[in-house]
Amino acid sequence: MNTADLGLPVDVPSTALFTDHYELTMLQAALKAGTAERRSVFEVFTRRLPNGRRYGVVAGTGRVLDAVENFRFDAGVLGFLRERSVVDDETLDWLADYRFSGDIWGYPEGEVYFPGSPILRVEGSFAECVLLETVILSILNHDSAIAAAASRMTAAAGGRPLIEMGARRTHELSAVAAARAAYVGGFASTSDLAAGFRYNIPTVGTSAHAFTLLHDSERDAFQAQVDSMGRGTTLLVDTYDVAEAVRTAVEVAGPELGAVRIDSGDLLLVAHRVRQQLDELGATATKILVTSDLDEYAIASLAAAPVDAYGVGTQLVTGSGHPTASMVYKLVARAETADPRAPLKPVAKKSSGGKTSIGGRKWAARRVDAYGVAEAEVVGTGAVPHELTDRQLLVELVKGGEVVGREPLDVARERHAAARAGLPLSATQLSRGEPVLPTEYV
């Protein structure tokens, strides 16, 4: 199953080389040592949240499922590996038949997470699981960072819609992934057509300053846009003089003018002046959209302004200062033989510098208080306490190599809204603080 099965028009190409060289050399050595087929459990988690963040957001899960499903070594890929002598012929023969046949469990997309949360659990032979490390981390680290920034921005916006406008501020493929993650985090639409094409995200856009500058006068530009797009369009009013542009916009489009966009200046002051002017001109239903390098703090500062929507670019696609979620992919349990019935033994890295990990195949649950508000993230390796059995967080995503957990993007978006609403109120504060929930190990 791939994106086309959800009615989406773009399939994911082979992801086999979205990996690090040493994943394949580890495979080669394990095949020679006879340890490659040992049953293993890898987990994705983060040891800490970015400084000052209160919660993380799981995003990219659907893209991970596509990547796992399309992790195939075709003739071209194998030829490249052979030409570069990355691995020996025995390993190439093994790779030619590679299909992930294990199981994957994880936090569903849109869910929140905390330090130590087992965000994704990958189970199978060491050989088939280790190859997926880099592509899984590259997707989850990027998308979760963007979704976390988007979540903070949508919380700060207080219900006003946000438009993702960052395509020109990042890699062209990252822009598509960022738009998807922003949608999970609560953004209403994107300017990026590729994201709309691939993920069915609503797309919006009207004109830039270049369109105004093209014409002999601002009035001519506004008239051309209204003639083309109708009176409900959004006119950009800060190319020259804002007050004059607003007056001209209403004269051209009438009180039915859909919206005006402000892209520079003191947005708080200008928004108040524009609202007053629009109302005086009878355009009381015309909305105000603001852009101009916004982040969650700038959005929060405009809470009292007569702003109806925000457009966000640079700060969103760079994670608002935290472009990665710092997730890692660690072996936490493995068998001592290749016998599929061999018991799993917990394993963990022990080192200085804060890079230790906890061994064992983990479950996670979220405990709530008497009011139904989350109060702790509980992580364990043994039996799940009875009172937490209905609060478990991990869901089955892949079973026996077959994807079973794919879902529409709107489901993840709705899940995130519900998950954030279930956290303590302090979760959405922008002031620096510790994670809003403690992680308890049992």
Side-chain angles (χ1 to χ4, degrees), residues 182-317:
Y183 191 67
V184 170
F187 271 57
S189 56
T190 178
S191 67
D192 190 85
L193 289 174
F197 180 66
R198 180 168 295 187
Y199 297 117
N200 202 30
I201 300 170
T203 60
V204 296
T206 52
S207 66
H209 294 290
F211 185 76
T212 301
L213 295 170
L214 167 70
H215 291 80
D216 295 336
S217 70
E218 195 167 46
R219 180 180 294 274
D220 288 346
F222 289 173
Q223 189 66 61
Q225 185 173 327
V226 169
D227 289 345
S228 174
M229 301 179 188
R231 296 178 185 272
T233 191
T234 298
L235 295 176
L236 180 60
V237 296
D238 71 326
T239 304
Y240 305 117
D241 180 80
V242 173
E244 181 62 30
V246 170
R247 185 179 303 107
T248 302
V250 176
E251 289 175 358
V252 170
E256 300 84 10
L257 175 62
V260 295
R261 178 162 75 95
I262 307 166
D263 189 48
S264 60
D266 183 337
L267 297 179
L268 179 62
L269 176 63
V270 175
H272 277 287
R273 288 178 175 173
V274 168
R275 180 74 272 158
Q276 180 180 355
Q277 186 181 10
L278 286 169
D279 292 346
E280 291 172 350
L281 293 170
T284 56
T286 299
K287 299 185 182 301
I288 297 176
L289 165 67
V290 297
T291 53
S292 186
D293 207 25
L294 300 176
D295 62 10
E296 61 266 47
Y297 300 101
I299 292 168
S301 74
L302 293 168
V307 172
D308 298 288
Y310 307 88
V312 188
T314 303
Q315 293 302 317
L316 176 69
V317 299

Side-chain angles (χ1 to χ4, degrees), residues 36-298:
E37 297 305 318
R38 289 185 176 184
R39 190 160 60 103
S40 300
V41 179
F42 287 82
E43 288 177 353
V44 174
F45 62 93
T46 184
R47 297 183 177 94
R48 63 191 66 83
L49 297 179
N51 188 31
R53 296 287 172 89
R54 305 297 181 91
Y55 61 92
V57 180
V58 178
T61 308
R63 296 207 308 123
V64 165
L65 297 181
D66 289 340
V68 171
E69 205 168 46
N70 290 279
F71 204 90
R72 303 285 187 269
F73 292 84
D74 58 25
V77 170
L78 293 170
F80 166 79
L81 296 175
R82 180 177 290 106
E83 178 186 337
R84 297 293 182 92
S85 299
V86 174
V87 290
D88 59 21
D89 289 342
E90 178 186 357
T91 306
L92 290 173
D93 290 341
W94 189 94
L95 291 172
D97 296 325
Y98 179 85
R99 300 289 187 276
F100 180 74
S101 63
D103 301 329
I104 299 178
W105 290 70
Y107 280 40
E109 190 158 20
E111 185 57 85
V112 296
Y113 69 87
F114 299 90
S117 296
I119 296 162
L120 200 73
R121 191 176 70 217
V122 183
E123 306 181 31
S125 70
F126 175 85
E128 63 181 340
C129 294
V130 75
L131 293 182
L132 299 177
E133 174 180 7
T134 304
V135 69
I136 286 176
L137 287 179
S138 66
I139 293 171
L140 292 181
N141 268 314
H142 174 269
D143 290 22
S144 296
I146 305 304
S151 179
R152 284 163 60 86
M153 292 174 186
T154 54
R160 298 169 180 174
L162 288 96
I163 305 167
E164 186 280 314
M165 303 171 66
R168 63 190 61 193
R169 299 292 188 240
T170 188
H171 184 280
E172 65 272 19
L173 297 182
S174 295
V176 179
R180 182 186 183 282
Y183 191 67
V184 170
F187 271 57
S189 56
T190 178
S191 67
D192 190 85
L193 289 174
F197 180 66
R198 180 168 295 187
Y199 297 117
N200 202 30
I201 300 170
T203 60
V204 296
T206 52
S207 66
H209 294 290
F211 185 76
T212 301
L213 295 170
L214 167 70
H215 291 80
D216 295 336
S217 70
E218 195 167 46
R219 180 180 294 274
D220 288 346
F222 289 173
Q223 189 66 61
Q225 185 173 327
V226 169
D227 289 345
S228 174
M229 301 179 188
R231 296 178 185 272
T233 191
T234 298
L235 295 176
L236 180 60
V237 296
D238 71 326
T239 304
Y240 305 117
D241 180 80
V242 173
E244 181 62 30
V246 170
R247 185 179 303 107
T248 302
V250 176
E251 289 175 358
V252 170
E256 300 84 10
L257 175 62
V260 295
R261 178 162 75 95
I262 307 166
D263 189 48
S264 60
D266 183 337
L267 297 179
L268 179 62
L269 176 63
V270 175
H272 277 287
R273 288 178 175 173
V274 168
R275 180 74 272 158
Q276 180 180 355
Q277 186 181 10
L278 286 169
D279 292 346
E280 291 172 350
L281 293 170
T284 56
T286 299
K287 299 185 182 301
I288 297 176
L289 165 67
V290 297
T291 53
S292 186
D293 207 25
L294 300 176
D295 62 10
E296 61 266 47
Y297 300 101

Side-chain angles (χ1 to χ4, degrees), residues 357-377:
S357 57
I358 298 174
R361 181 180 184 272
K362 299 175 192 67
W363 53 264
R366 189 161 298 145
R367 193 173 67 239
V368 300
D369 63 18
Y371 299 96
V373 178
E375 64 178 10
E377 195 87 340

Side-chain angles (χ1 to χ4, degrees), residues 338-394:
D339 186 338
R341 297 166 298 179
L344 291 171
K345 173 185 177 182
V347 294
K349 175 181 178 180
K350 297 187 183 301
S351 64
S352 59
K355 286 195 171 184
T356 58
S357 57
I358 298 174
R361 181 180 184 272
K362 299 175 192 67
W363 53 264
R366 189 161 298 145
R367 193 173 67 239
V368 300
D369 63 18
Y371 299 96
V373 178
E375 64 178 10
E377 195 87 340
V378 185
V379 177
T381 57
V384 181
H386 176 72
E387 66 274 14
L388 293 176
T389 53
D390 293 334
R391 304 291 306 176
Q392 293 188 76
L393 293 164
L394 277 76

